[in-house]
Amino acid sequence: MELKNYTHISEFLLLGVSQDPRWQPLLFGLFLAMYLITVLGNLLIILATISDPHLHTPMYFFLANLSLVDVCFTSTTVPKMLLNIQTHSRAISYEGCIMQIYFFILFGVLDNFLLTVMAYDRFVAICHPLHYTVIMSPRLCGLLLLGSWITSALNSLLQSLMAWRLSFCTAMEIPHFFCELNQVVQLACSDTLPNDLVMFFAAGLLFCGPLAGILYSYWKIVSSIRKISSAQGKYKAFSTCASHLSVVSLFYCTCLGVYFSSSTTQNSHSSATASVMYSVVTPMLNPFIYSLRNKDLMGALRKLFKGNA
């Protein structure tokens, strides 16, 4: 490395959602409230699923894992943001930034995979109800979960190691509230073509691939529901996947919204604000979407509260 071209860095500066000092107390309170709601809501889903034997099914097994991943996903970014606002500092260490990239990609891709696996579970339940218990065996559920973890971990490891190899100049300001991989790559002075290629193929395989799987599953589900003769049967079949479909729509619409907003505008702070939707708001809303429309889960939550009363 030539010293005249590159400078050794020890930290990045996270510019956050807004640099206006007047907004900082409001942002701190808002993000703290959303973070606490996210953690509490998702932990309640996990506890209710574990405590109620009636919820020991593949659907709730994957839901509990989704809730756990959502807590970890939000915890990757929000606590550091709150700490920076509280201490009036925007700094994050170089090592801390790479670690944040690793865990953000890990849990983000895991969210994606779990939503896909849950769509497959609903497909089997509605399209092959007589063979559901045979197909969705505990062994298959465990393999699907393990495969999701391994694939996500290998992808995030590759992405973070490739970010680690980059050389940076003196402009270390990231116009975001966390170390977003694309923003970090754009700051590099060295060749970023390998990073761009890996990000492109990872997006195609790990984002578009699962999305195609979800769309195919729901196309088959809708085809099966249309064949049901009774209106009550159609409603009952659709209600079993309505919550999941709502979460899928929220997650993918916000992700695609962030992508298109960042590609059509040069304002990085607008992209940071839009990223709040899928990285903070969506994990916060998931427990409400799943619990309010699910009688079994609401019953398990009532038992949980009565047991602790």
Side-chain angles (χ1 to χ4, degrees):
M1 182 183 297
E2 298 180 9
L3 294 177
K4 63 180 180 181
N5 291 335
Y6 307 120
T7 303
H8 176 71
I9 63 165
S10 60
E11 64 181 20
F12 291 96
L13 296 179
L14 299 174
L15 301 185
V17 178
S18 173
Q19 299 185 55
D20 191 339
R22 296 173 298 178
W23 285 97
Q24 301 310 305
L26 177 61
L27 288 174
F28 181 85
L30 180 62
F31 275 85
L32 177 61
M34 289 193 295
Y35 179 66
L36 293 177
I37 292 172
T38 300
V39 173
L40 179 61
N42 283 288
L43 287 181
L44 284 175
I45 296 289
I46 296 171
L47 291 174
T49 304
I50 294 174
S51 62
D52 194 334
H54 295 94
L55 301 185
H56 293 175
T57 63
M59 181 176 72
Y60 294 106
F61 170 73
F62 292 123
L63 175 59
N65 279 277
L66 179 68
S67 296
L68 175 62
V69 170
D70 279 341
V71 171
C72 297
F73 187 46
T74 309
S75 299
T76 302
T77 58
V78 176
K80 178 59 180 174
M81 179 190 183
L82 296 175
L83 179 63
N84 283 1
I85 294 176
Q86 188 67 20
T87 59
H88 305 286
S89 169
R90 301 184 184 275
I92 182 172
S93 67
Y94 179 75
E95 294 79 7
C97 186
I98 299 299
M99 290 296 292
Q100 195 175 65
I101 289 174
Y102 173 82
F103 285 109
F104 185 82
I105 296 175
L106 171 66
F107 295 121
V109 174
L110 262 175
D111 245 346
N112 198 17
F113 280 148
L114 285 173
L115 290 175
T116 307
V117 171
M118 293 170 75
Y120 176 72
D121 172 74
R122 293 299 85 204
F123 159 73
V124 176
I126 294 174
C127 299
H128 305 283
L130 299 179
H131 301 93
Y132 177 75
T133 55
V134 177
I135 297 175
M136 298 303 296
S137 63
R139 182 175 181 274
L140 178 63
C141 293
L143 288 175
L144 289 172
L145 182 63
L146 180 62
S148 299
W149 271 98
I150 292 175
T151 306
S152 302
L154 291 176
N155 170 66
S156 57
L157 180 62
L158 175 62
Q159 301 265 25
S160 56
L161 287 178
M162 293 193 69
W164 183 274
R165 57 167 284 275
L166 293 173
S167 300
F168 296 91
C169 301
T170 55
M172 292 295 100
E173 293 184 345
I174 300 175
H176 223 296
F177 66 94
F178 64 93
C179 284
E180 200 269 332
L181 177 61
N182 188 52
Q183 297 285 347
V184 173
V185 171
Q186 290 179 13
L187 294 176
C189 296
S190 56
D191 181 24
T192 62
L193 179 60
N195 299 76
D196 294 332
L197 290 175
V198 169
M199 285 190 291
F200 176 78
F201 284 111
L205 291 174
L206 305 180
F207 183 85
C208 297
L211 177 58
I214 292 173
L215 293 177
Y216 176 77
S217 296
Y218 274 103
W219 175 68
K220 298 295 287 184
I221 287 172
V222 171
S223 299
S224 296
I225 291 177
R226 289 177 61 185
K227 296 177 182 178
I228 299 175
S229 57
S230 66
Q232 184 178 2
K234 290 182 178 180
Y235 175 78
K236 184 177 180 180
F238 180 77
S239 64
T240 62
C241 55
S243 298
H244 177 258
L245 187 58
S246 301
V247 171
V248 166
S249 302
L250 182 63
F251 179 80
Y252 281 100
C253 287
T254 52
C255 287
L256 292 173
V258 170
Y259 172 77
F260 286 115
S261 67
S262 62
S263 61
T264 57
T265 180
Q266 299 298 320
N267 190 343
S268 300
H269 284 289
S270 298
S271 177
T273 304
S275 298
V276 174
M277 287 301 298
Y278 77 87
S279 62
V280 182
V281 176
T282 299
M284 178 186 68
L285 294 179
N286 285 354
F288 295 100
I289 295 174
Y290 275 109
S291 61
L292 294 178
R293 295 184 57 88
N294 191 307
K295 295 181 179 180
D296 293 333
L297 194 54
M298 287 297 292
L301 289 172
R302 293 191 193 97
K303 291 178 182 178
L304 186 64
F305 284 118
K306 289 180 180 179
N308 294 328

